[in-house]
Amino acid sequence: MLKWYKEAGNNSDVIISSRVRLARNLKAYPFSAKLSENQAKEMVTKVKDAGLHLQEKEEKKYYSCNVDMLSDTEKTAMMERHIISPLLIAKEQSTGLILSEDEKISIMINEEDHIRIQSIVGGMNMTEAFYLANTADDITSELFDYAFHEKYGYLTSCPTNLGTGLRASYMMFLPALTVAGKVIKLAEELGQYGIALRGTYGEASKSLGSLYQISNQKTLGSTEKEIMDSLNRIVEQVMKQERRQREYILTNGYDEFEDKVYRSYGVLKYAKQLSSGDAMTLLAQLKLGADLALLKFKDNYNIHELMMEIQPANLQCQLDKNIGSVQRDKYRADYIRKKLPDIQ
Amino acid sequence: MLCDKCKKNEAKIYYTEIINGEKKEQHLCEDCAMEYSSFQMGTPFMNQEITLGNLLSTILGNYYKENSHSGEHAEKELHCKGCGMTYSEFLKEGRFGCVKCYDTFKKVLEKSIKSIQGSDTHTGKKPKGFETKTEKLVKELPELDKLAIKLQDAIEKEEFEEAVKIRDRIRELKKEEMNNA
Ligand SMILES: [Zn+2]
Ligand SMILES: [Zn+2]
């Protein structure tokens, strides 16, 4: 079964993925801040069983595990692939995870809320992402009595998630706006519309690989559809701006840019050591070059997949042993050299 | 005091943050604080809600300070019967302890939820089978009253054919009642 990041998506030159998160809590248990360790354990056992229920209803394979029993490397690798959140890793209590085989749906147990249903699909496709999360929510809700308030909607541990409990977000690739130094200003503008922009790997001001997360901030008072519609309207605008900026690069400095892209390919293909920062910058350059058809790979190739695979913990997992950062940089260079397809 | 950012509205939020080891203090109005937080939260791998939660508790804290002048200062001693969370504990954490907390701290919460969320009433999805208080009430009404509500509803929606059907059903029931009596 194809993982989400291997699928070709809509507008994938600018939008890497669409993600939906639903926050839910069980009525019968205290929220995270007041949950005892015993209750946390009970919760993980109970909710993990929902995996079997989902598997039956959706006819798709689900795995489940106790996250706190995994190694640090395994946990971090899952975080780098956006399956679990940093907060879940940091929790000292019992935590759990239900994950669909294609990694499109993950359900975190005992994160900030008892249940956090998350779905990711490739490209711009919030409709599918919401459909998946919503269906999983319907199925899980058959098993548990959710905390729901007539006026406030789904009750969450933090009142900022109240109501729909919905966070919709796009992972966007904005290299041209980044180079033009327009991201911080954009983030300010989006803030006025209740939309947050931040770096996927790092801060908005210096995100690695020009990857950004754009998401709604308000969760109460609008329906799920209204929230996603207004996010979509804004993302369309950002997409337009990014594409306009890319055209600008092509018309004003084609040669220079072409040279840069090919140099990036050269370094990635022949370097003996690559830090993850350098690799991300070069890969972003390469992705932009490929998106603009400046350079064509012999095989269809998804650069973003490589961006995830070369994150420190993911590399470590492939190696199956702990290595120092120098060795890791060597291994990273090796890995990229092997994976990078030839150009036409 | 006026807001440090827009210099127009009154500053209600005292916002402290630490950037590169340096402490920066700002007095912001609610609008600016909302905006400010939205792009100030880009710390790597931090859950953005954490910061927003802290901001919320700052806003709540300010409401509390304001209200305590007007004699409403029972809030601080207030604690949740469900989980034992106190109001000051909530201000510190920005998180509630259980479902009942929402009712316990309702009074102070209402205003600030509106200023953070822009609304205080949910309009989205409901869990399957969830009944609102009105729905529950209606369910327990005698058949005739239920029909009267349905009739009213049909007339409002201009579904006149349906309204006629309901009216006839009401007449039938009334006749039956008369006969029984
Ligand atoms: Zn202001
Ligand atoms: Zn409570």
Side-chain angles (χ1 to χ4, degrees), chain A residues 31 34, chain B residues 79-85 96-102 104-105:
Chain A
F31 294 149
K34 291 283 183 185
Chain B
H79 73 274
C80 175
K81 292 206 172 65
C83 67
M85 179 156 286
F96 279 139
C98 76
V99 173
K100 286 202 176 99
C101 284
Y102 276 98
T104 314
F105 304 112

Side-chain angles (χ1 to χ4, degrees), chain A residues 148-217:
Chain A
F148 187 83
H149 189 279
E150 178 149 358
K151 184 174 183 200
Y152 293 147
Y154 291 94
L155 297 182
T156 48
S157 162
C158 179
T160 51
N161 294 312
L162 206 54
T164 56
L166 170 79
R167 191 84 55 209
S169 60
Y170 286 109
M171 198 204 291
M172 300 192 78
F173 179 56
L174 307 175
L177 288 173
T178 305
V179 170
K182 292 188 172 169
V183 171
I184 293 295
K185 182 136 185 306
L186 185 68
E188 285 181 38
E189 280 169 19
L190 297 189
Q192 292 172 7
Y193 298 100
I195 303 288
L197 182 151
R198 62 202 171 105
T200 302
Y201 299 104
E203 293 168 51
S205 52
K206 40 177 194 265
S207 176
L208 276 184
S210 301
L211 296 171
Y212 301 89
Q213 210 72 41
I214 291 189
S215 57
N216 68 300
Q217 299 240 71

Side-chain angles (χ1 to χ4, degrees), chain A residues 310-343:
Chain A
I310 56 138
Q311 295 299 316
N314 269 290
L315 274 189
Q316 206 115 291
C317 276
Q318 288 160 23
L319 271 173
D320 211 20
K321 60 175 187 226
N322 276 327
I323 45 171
S325 66
V326 177
Q327 263 179 303
R328 198 158 54 205
D329 288 356
K330 275 189 185 164
Y331 183 76
R332 182 178 291 112
D334 266 357
Y335 188 82
I336 292 175
R337 202 178 320 126
K338 271 182 218 137
K339 279 266 175 149
L340 216 53
D342 291 333
I343 42 178

Side-chain angles (χ1 to χ4, degrees), chain B residues 147-157:
Chain B
L147 285 171
I149 292 172
K150 272 190 192 155
L151 179 63
Q152 196 58 42
D153 191 48
I155 293 170
E156 266 166 35
K157 286 183 188 148

